[in-house]
Amino acid sequence: MAIFASGAGSNAEKIMEHFENHPAVSVKLVVASKKTAGVLEKADRFGVETLILNKADFFDTNIYVQELQDRHIDIIILAGFLWKVPANLVAAFPGRILNIHQALLPAYGGKGMYGHFVHEAVIAAGEKQSGITIHIVDEVYDHGKHLFQATCEIIPADGPDELAGKVHKLEHRHFAKVIESYIPDHPVLFAAGAS
């Protein structure tokens, strides 16, 4: 498994913890979109190799597709990764890239809908609940098949920070378990995990 992240990496940390002693699945690589991402320090603590992306190469070449294939990566997990995944990477890992989104898709998804922008939009719309969506990644932002959703209540006193805290708890509680339950259902991943 490779985890792609852009920030502090709290979801990545929970995933690395969950799979640390797993009999069939391991986190082999953490990929960051910037060298200052906090996730790199967390990967180091778990002894997981890291890779920092060059943006032009990521979007305009097959360098990273080849890199991931050379490292025998079977599944990619986006855990707070802010760049759109290019079509060549999606094509190389069909049904094998999972993302977690901080809202109940299809609402509040798409370009620019991440972090506090999502929570501000949800609250501004007067929603009574929000939550998380774990989905397969395709060529369109926040569009692929939904695997799992969990909800949390929004009370009138909640601001974006309070809502972010509630959503974060859902992310940490569910993401690694959903990944683990998805792997046996995917023949390529199951074969890889069983070898």
Side-chain angles (χ1 to χ4, degrees):
M1 180 187 308
I3 301 174
F4 283 45
S6 296
S10 66
N11 273 315
E13 182 176 33
K14 292 289 182 190
I15 294 165
M16 286 187 281
E17 269 175 20
H18 185 87
F19 289 103
E20 192 171 20
N21 297 305
H22 196 279
V25 183
S26 64
V27 178
K28 196 166 186 181
L29 184 67
V30 166
V31 179
S33 57
K34 55 187 177 185
K35 62 184 175 190
T36 56
V39 71
L40 296 168
E41 190 180 298
K42 291 179 172 71
D44 191 50
R45 220 171 57 238
F46 282 90
V48 174
E49 279 189 70
T50 59
L51 178 67
I52 299 162
L53 297 172
N54 173 288
K55 196 167 190 174
D57 288 342
F58 184 63
F59 287 107
D60 300 331
T61 75
N62 276 317
I63 289 171
Y64 294 114
V65 171
Q66 192 62 53
E67 176 86 22
L68 293 165
Q69 289 171 339
D70 288 348
R71 291 173 183 255
H72 307 289
I73 297 300
D74 300 302
I75 186 167
I76 296 169
I77 306 301
L78 308 183
F81 186 69
L82 301 183
W83 296 353
K84 186 173 186 284
V85 177
N88 63 336
L89 193 57
V90 174
F93 291 85
R96 295 188 285 143
I97 306 176
L98 306 187
N99 181 48
I100 191 164
H101 185 71
Q102 302 162 302
L104 299 171
L105 294 174
Y108 307 104
K111 189 172 184 178
M113 277 290 150
Y114 62 90
H116 66 94
F117 298 113
V118 175
H119 306 310
E120 286 168 2
V122 168
I123 288 171
E127 299 286 1
K128 299 288 186 264
Q129 64 176 15
S130 189
I132 59 168
T133 304
I134 298 168
H135 67 95
I136 297 169
V137 172
D138 62 16
E139 292 85 356
V140 181
Y141 264 121
D142 300 325
H143 175 262
K145 178 185 172 188
H146 297 177
L147 300 176
F148 178 84
Q149 289 187 312
T151 61
C152 59
E153 184 186 4
I154 302 171
I155 61 171
D158 284 341
D161 290 342
E162 288 78 17
L163 179 54
K166 291 179 178 183
V167 169
H168 227 51
K169 284 181 183 170
L170 292 175
E171 292 175 325
H172 290 175
R173 187 180 313 143
H174 296 291
F175 199 12
K177 291 177 186 171
V178 172
I179 294 165
E180 186 174 25
S181 67
Y182 178 71
I183 289 170
D185 292 335
H186 196 292
V188 173
L189 296 176
F190 184 76
S195 63

